[in-house]
Amino acid sequence: MKTLMTIAEVRENVKEWKKQGLTVGLVPTMGYLHKGHKSLIEKAHEENDKVVVSIFVNPIQFGVNEDLDAYPRDLENDSKLCEGAGVDIIFHPQATEMYFEDFCTYTDMEKLTHNLCGMSRPTHFRGVCTVVNKLFNIVAPDKAYFGQKDAQQLAVIKRMVRDLNIDTEIIGCPIVREDDGLAVSSRNTYLSAEERKVSVVLSKALQEGRKMLENGEKNAAVVVNAIKAIIEKEPLAKIDYVKIVDSEILEDVETVEKNVLVAMAVYVGKTRLIDNITFEI
Ligand code: AMP
């Protein structure tokens, strides 16, 4: 496994692989890797000859008051996880390698990005689309792997690839959870012991929502309110949003009559956690 910090070196290696007719899978990450990331890497390893993992805390997807500087980093541990999972290249650029000082070209999406996390993070998806588009231009992967954990991101990336004719297949991977149901996240490291216990309320509330949908409840507001009521019982939890949206276009639905995403963002203490389930009809 190689760890490369420059775009030129990555391109050189990929060019050599492509000359040999080998396929390339890309797993974009911000590092501080855990078993959720590992599941993506393993799928990429199964489906491609070569695997590139990018580790880059992308400054332009963080808002001004967000956790860019505090975001956890541990390249040594990340390298071990990648080595063990059969990664060929870690691409770990500095921000200056990715963004010229006078960088001014962005990939912006007019739909799908304003609801859900886009409501409280208005520039987030512009940053995500821009960096992922750049990574696709650098690595030219046959397939790229994204977690359903960030369901809005997955839908947005699929739309970007469709709209811009990017020759990369997007593979969505299921959410990996802790034993008690909490979705694994690099940000879980911010939680105190007490907050960690409280955090299970996200997945518990979603499971209750799923039960209601399975039992035939079609009124989205009824399900959303039941989910909110469960979360509101926890004094340490503060809801950013709970919504039921169309799985593809991510717009709110009043009546559940096609596939939907039940998604939420909840602050536990100062940590903003997200989780979701899909309900298929
Ligand atoms: P991040 O490093 O948090 O930007 O995540 C990189 C990729 O890993 C994204 O596609 C995430 O959706 C995915 N990911 C993060 N956590 C999980 C999880 N618990 N299960 C599945 N995928 C995940």
Side-chain angles (χ1 to χ4, degrees):
M1 186 180 79
K2 294 181 191 172
T3 301
L4 304 178
M5 297 183 71
T6 69
I7 294 165
E9 286 170 296
V10 173
R11 285 208 162 124
E12 216 175 277
N13 279 266
V14 172
K15 209 171 173 185
E16 200 48 50
W17 291 340
K18 297 235 159 158
K19 242 195 245 165
Q20 296 170 36
L22 301 174
T23 57
V24 181
L26 171 67
V27 183
T29 82
M30 298 206 297
Y32 212 72
L33 303 181
H34 50 62
K35 55 189 177 185
H37 298 112
K38 193 161 171 244
S39 72
L40 271 56
I41 296 171
E42 284 169 350
K43 184 118 177 93
H45 193 52
E46 269 166 43
E47 297 186 347
N48 300 274
D49 299 314
K50 298 287 180 187
V51 176
V52 178
V53 172
S54 60
I55 296 180
F56 179 57
V57 182
N58 175 36
I60 70 165
Q61 73 188 63
F62 287 78
V64 272
N65 293 317
E66 293 180 1
D67 58 342
L68 173 63
D69 292 333
Y71 198 83
R73 294 159 168 89
D74 186 349
L75 188 61
E76 208 180 306
N77 208 52
D78 291 352
S79 300
K80 277 189 208 142
L81 185 145
C82 287
E83 185 105 59
V87 171
D88 296 280
I89 287 178
I90 293 178
F91 176 43
H92 181 52
Q94 297 283 312
T96 47
E97 177 72 7
M98 292 295 277
Y99 298 110
F100 290 101
E101 215 176 311
D102 56 353
F103 180 90
C104 58
T105 310
Y106 295 87
T107 311
D108 215 350
M109 187 173 292
E110 293 185 347
K111 291 182 182 161
L112 280 78
T113 56
H114 303 296
N115 202 1
L116 306 174
C117 288
M119 293 183 302
S120 56
R121 307 186 76 190
T123 58
H124 175 66
F125 289 106
R126 179 174 93 145
V128 170
C129 286
T130 302
V131 80
V132 171
N133 198 1
K134 283 166 70 68
L135 289 168
F136 287 175
N137 284 329
I138 294 164
V139 179
D142 297 279
K143 295 183 179 176
Y145 296 78
F146 293 85
Q148 180 66 28
K149 156 97 186 337
D150 298 270
Q152 187 172 16
Q153 170 173 278
L154 175 58
V156 163
I157 298 297
K158 280 185 178 162
R159 179 62 66 98
M160 177 183 83
V161 162
R162 188 202 76 172
D163 285 355
L164 299 182
N165 309 100
I166 296 173
D167 196 12
T168 295
E169 187 185 345
I170 303 303
I171 311 288
C173 302
I175 302 177
V176 174
R177 297 178 179 279
E178 302 292 0
D179 290 342
D180 65 359
L182 174 66
V184 182
S185 166
S186 307
R187 288 191 168 97
N188 292 351
T189 184
Y190 298 149
L191 300 168
S192 69
E194 198 189 352
E195 290 166 349
R196 171 64 188 81
K197 274 190 211 149
V198 167
S199 300
V200 72
V201 74
L202 280 80
S203 59
K204 285 248 163 73
L206 283 170
Q207 288 316 317
E208 287 307 312
R210 181 192 292 288
K211 272 189 214 154
M212 291 176 78
L213 293 167
E214 281 171 355
N215 289 336
E217 180 59 66
K218 298 255 176 266
N219 186 328
V222 169
V223 180
V224 164
N225 288 335
I227 290 174
K228 283 184 173 170
I230 294 171
I231 297 168
E232 281 161 357
K233 278 194 205 131
E234 289 291 352
L236 282 179
K238 192 172 146 281
I239 294 170
D240 179 4
Y241 69 81
V242 176
K243 283 193 171 229
I244 300 187
V245 298
D246 177 297
S247 292
E248 209 176 313
I249 57 171
L250 308 183
E251 282 175 14
D252 296 5
V253 298
E254 277 179 25
T255 310
V256 179
E257 48 199 359
K258 45 184 170 173
N259 295 350
V260 291
L261 176 74
V262 186
M264 61 171 61
V266 174
Y267 286 92
V268 178
K270 288 197 174 124
T271 306
R272 187 173 176 279
L273 301 175
I274 57 172
D275 201 350
N276 68 82
I277 54 165
T278 48
F279 180 73
E280 296 186 354
I281 294 213

